[in-house]
């Protein structure tokens, strides 16, 4: 019975000890986004004032108030926020012609270096104009080929780039399609890197806006499409290439991007322009003449700049609050900038409501630490929520063990001590009679008598 009580006491002690040490594991939230081979070209930001749906229209967007255009499809997008302020048949399929080369250049700049030396193949030099009139075996740097591709719309440069970085035109087209899907351009299918006619080679105005916006995040691309002329010194042909995008010469603030034309696509155009702190990107497709598509683009961009602007509400790294930490208070910040495209004269007046959630365990810099609700001051409507993250590595405040957790192990120790004391007393009580009663055997009596006689 006693040994059973001892075993029960040991079990109680172990249970109490585990209860004292256990803490519920609530760890800081971490991103579960899968890693990508190269950094995404989609700008990292939080955007307010857009409608939910497949196309992020600005709240209150009304295409009926915009100028009438001849082009069959068009999109005007705030290039900083990705918000669409105008659209006409934005998801209707059209032949892109040479604005395809925006994607070709995007991939080349992601996969190669401007100093790479490429060799013209027989297939490349057989392409129809526009071309750089290269000969088979002629070598040129990727930088020179990209200027020829984007300024002069050279088809031979497009094929040469595709063969170098895709192994073949067909495989490079597969890469173009994969990149388009990654950017959200899900209604696009490319067959070649140049945009030459093919019934399967189609895209939409909105998809091209997504692709062009991504390409414009690459500094080298942005520099090339903003260049008005560039010297080409080939083996068979030397010339000063003049940018075919005439909007660079005629529209104030124009900074690129690319024109296109085939007999089936008709005129296509992607143009970006910047005024003050706002940049708009216009895509126009299927227009009968170059003059008309430039007029359409001018009218749309003028209306956009006259009625909308980019509002920078919060910068990246904005300190929104604090969490209690081991060494005091650690700041929590916005990981990305918060932007909005708003009507001119009607900026958003935002109230901040911070909801901080400190991690219970140690957490690295950038771990989730709550949310920042942004509310329209005029209407009380919630405009959106922005994640908050730790501005530095975090160590939680050490928490004292509550008294109930101390009482449990203390009680177990007392119980063990009482059991041990009871067992010891019981053992002594059993041994005492043995010490008091001494039995004398017969042989001992004779031995003791003889000993007394000798004395």
């Amino acid at each position: 019975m006693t040994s059973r009580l001892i075993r029960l006491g040991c079990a109680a002690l172990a249970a109490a000890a585990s209860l004292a040490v256990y803490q519920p594991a609530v760890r800081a939230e971490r991103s579960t986004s899968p890693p990508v081979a190269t950094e995404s070209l989609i700008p990292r930001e939080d955007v307010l004032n857009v409608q939910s749906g497949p196309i992020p229209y600005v709240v209150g967007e009304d295409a009926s108030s915009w100028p009438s255009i001849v082009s069959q499809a068009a999109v005007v997008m705030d290039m900083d926020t990705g918000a669409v302020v105008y659209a006409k048949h934005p998801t209707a399929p059209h032949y892109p012609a040479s604005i395809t080369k925006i994607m070709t250049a995007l991939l080349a700049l992601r996969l190669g270096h401007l100093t790479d030396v490429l060799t013209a193949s027989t297939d490349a030099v057989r392409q129809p104009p526009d071309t750089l009139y290269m000969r088979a075996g002629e070598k040129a740097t990727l930088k020179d080929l990209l200027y020829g591709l984007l300024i002069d719309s050279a088809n031979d440069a497009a094929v040469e780039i595709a063969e170098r970085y895709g192994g073949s035109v067909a495989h490079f087209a597969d890469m173009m399609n994969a990149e388009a899907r990654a950017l959200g351009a899900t209604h696009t299918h490319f067959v070649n890197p140049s945009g030459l006619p093919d019934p399967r080679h189609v895209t939409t105005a909105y998809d091209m806006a997504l692709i062009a916006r991504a390409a414009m995040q690459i500094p080298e691309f942005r520099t090339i499409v903003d260049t008005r002329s560039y010297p080409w010194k080939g083996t068979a042909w030397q010339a000063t290439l003049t940018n075919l995008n005439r909007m660079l010469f005629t529209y104030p603030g124009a900074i690129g991007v690319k024109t296109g034309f085939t007999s089936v696509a008709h005129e296509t155009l992607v143009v970006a322009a910047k005024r003050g702190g706002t940049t708009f990107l216009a895509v126009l497709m299927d227009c009968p003449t170059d003059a008309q598509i430039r007029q359409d683009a001018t009218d749309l961009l003028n209306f956009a700049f006259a009625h909308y602007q980019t509002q920078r509400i919060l910068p990246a790294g904005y300190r929104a609050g604090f969490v209690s930490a081991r060494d005091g208070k650690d700041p929590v910040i916005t990981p990305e900038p918060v932007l909005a495209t708003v009507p001119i004269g009607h900026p958003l007046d935002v109230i901040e409501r911070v909801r901080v959630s400190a991690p219970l365990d140690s957490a690295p810099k950038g771990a989730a630490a709550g949310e920042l609700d942004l509310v329209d001051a005029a209407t009380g409507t919630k405009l959106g929520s922005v994640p908050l993250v730790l501005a530095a590595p975090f160590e939680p405040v050490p928490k004292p063990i509550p008294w109930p957790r101390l009482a449990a192990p203390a009680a177990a120790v007392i119980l063990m001590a009482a059991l041990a004391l009871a067992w010891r007393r019981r053992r002594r009580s059993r041994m005492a009679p043995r010490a008091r009663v001494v039995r004398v055997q017969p042989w001992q009596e004779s031995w003791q008598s003889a000993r007394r006689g000798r004395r």
Side-chain angles (χ1 to χ4, degrees):
M1 181 66 181
T2 304
S3 60
R4 184 181 177 187
L5 287 173
I6 293 174
R7 285 197 301 272
L8 287 173
C10 291
L13 181 61
S18 66
L19 179 64
V21 219
Y22 174 75
Q23 293 281 355
V26 180
R27 298 189 176 273
E29 185 180 339
R30 291 178 174 83
S31 169
T32 56
S33 301
V36 292
T38 54
E39 184 181 354
S40 173
L41 290 175
I42 300 171
R44 299 178 60 185
E45 60 200 6
D46 293 294
V47 179
L48 304 181
N49 203 39
V50 292
Q51 303 175 26
S52 59
I55 296 180
Y57 289 109
V58 169
V59 172
E61 181 271 343
D62 179 14
S64 65
S65 62
W66 285 64
S68 177
I69 61 171
V70 175
S71 301
Q72 294 301 302
V75 161
V76 181
M77 173 187 285
D78 183 333
M79 203 165 77
D80 289 320
T81 66
V84 172
V85 295
Y86 169 86
K88 175 183 178 180
H89 304 149
T91 58
H94 287 277
Y95 299 121
S98 285
I99 59 175
T100 298
K101 295 182 173 82
I102 295 172
M103 175 61 88
T104 302
L106 183 157
L107 275 182
L109 286 167
R110 298 195 79 176
L111 298 171
H113 301 88
L114 294 179
T115 54
D116 292 348
V117 177
L118 285 69
T119 304
S121 68
T122 304
D123 187 36
V125 301
R126 287 177 178 170
Q127 297 302 304
D130 289 328
T131 70
L132 297 171
Y133 304 102
M134 289 186 291
R135 294 176 177 174
E138 183 175 343
K139 298 184 182 301
T141 63
L142 177 60
K143 177 182 177 180
D144 287 342
L145 291 174
L146 286 174
Y147 274 94
L149 179 82
L150 295 170
I151 288 182
D152 197 50
S153 204
N155 294 322
D156 49 359
V159 171
E160 192 169 336
I161 288 170
E163 291 175 337
R164 169 63 180 269
Y165 297 107
S168 68
V169 166
H171 188 253
F172 190 80
D174 290 340
M175 295 163 62
M176 295 168 72
N177 292 325
E179 184 71 15
R181 287 191 297 273
L183 294 173
T186 56
H187 296 85
T188 293
H189 183 73
F190 294 121
V191 176
N192 60 63
S194 60
L196 289 174
D198 188 297
R200 301 165 296 158
H201 192 95
V202 293
T203 187
T204 69
Y206 179 64
D207 280 8
M208 279 310 306
L210 292 175
I211 293 168
R213 183 187 182 216
M216 290 292 277
Q217 308 306 312
I218 305 175
E220 296 86 352
F221 180 93
R222 198 160 180 157
T223 298
I224 294 171
V225 296
D226 195 22
T227 301
R228 298 189 178 192
S229 63
Y230 187 79
W232 170 260
K233 297 179 181 178
T235 302
W237 184 58
Q238 297 84 37
T240 298
L241 308 178
T242 301
N243 202 316
L244 297 177
N245 182 9
R246 295 179 62 188
M247 294 289 286
L248 280 177
F249 304 90
T250 62
Y251 191 79
I255 56 173
V257 211
K258 185 76 184 72
T259 63
F261 172 79
T262 65
S263 58
V264 293
H266 306 131
E267 295 289 346
T268 62
L269 173 64
V270 180
V271 58
K274 182 175 183 178
R275 294 182 185 175
T278 302
T279 304
F280 283 113
L281 180 72
V283 178
L284 300 98
M285 304 187 76
D286 195 354
C287 192
T289 67
D290 174 61
Q292 185 60 61
I293 202 169
R294 285 188 287 112
Q295 186 60 55
D296 285 352
T298 299
D299 292 343
L300 293 180
L301 288 172
N302 283 345
F303 192 91
F305 281 116
H307 293 83
Y308 292 96
Q309 65 181 6
T310 307
Q311 180 182 355
R312 285 157 179 81
I313 297 171
L314 294 175
Y318 171 74
R319 188 173 63 189
F322 298 89
V323 291
S324 297
R326 183 182 62 187
D327 298 325
K329 290 188 174 181
D330 286 356
V332 293
I333 59 173
T334 55
E336 315 297 344
V338 182
L339 309 176
T341 304
V342 297
I344 290 178
H346 300 280
L348 294 177
D349 185 9
V350 174
I351 298 174
E352 301 172 17
R353 293 177 180 168
V354 183
R355 291 184 286 122
V356 172
S357 176
L360 296 182
D361 293 338
S362 300
K365 174 182 177 180
E371 287 188 333
L372 178 65
D373 292 337
L374 300 174
V375 178
D376 191 330
T379 64
T381 306
K382 183 177 174 180
L383 298 170
S385 293
V386 176
L388 296 176
V389 298
L390 298 170
F394 172 83
E395 291 296 333
V397 177
K399 294 183 178 179
I401 301 176
W403 70 266
R405 296 194 176 186
L406 290 175
V413 171
I414 293 172
L415 174 62
M416 288 292 295
L419 290 173
L421 184 60
W423 176 79
R424 189 173 180 182
R425 284 179 178 176
R426 186 171 179 181
R427 183 178 179 187
R428 284 180 178 176
S429 65
R430 287 180 178 177
M431 295 296 294
R434 295 181 183 178
R436 289 194 298 267
V437 179
V438 178
R439 298 179 181 275
V440 180
Q441 301 296 330
W443 64 269
Q444 289 179 315
E445 291 180 358
S446 60
W447 178 76
Q448 289 177 355
S449 298
R451 184 179 181 187
R452 282 194 296 270
R454 286 196 299 269
R455 289 179 182 175

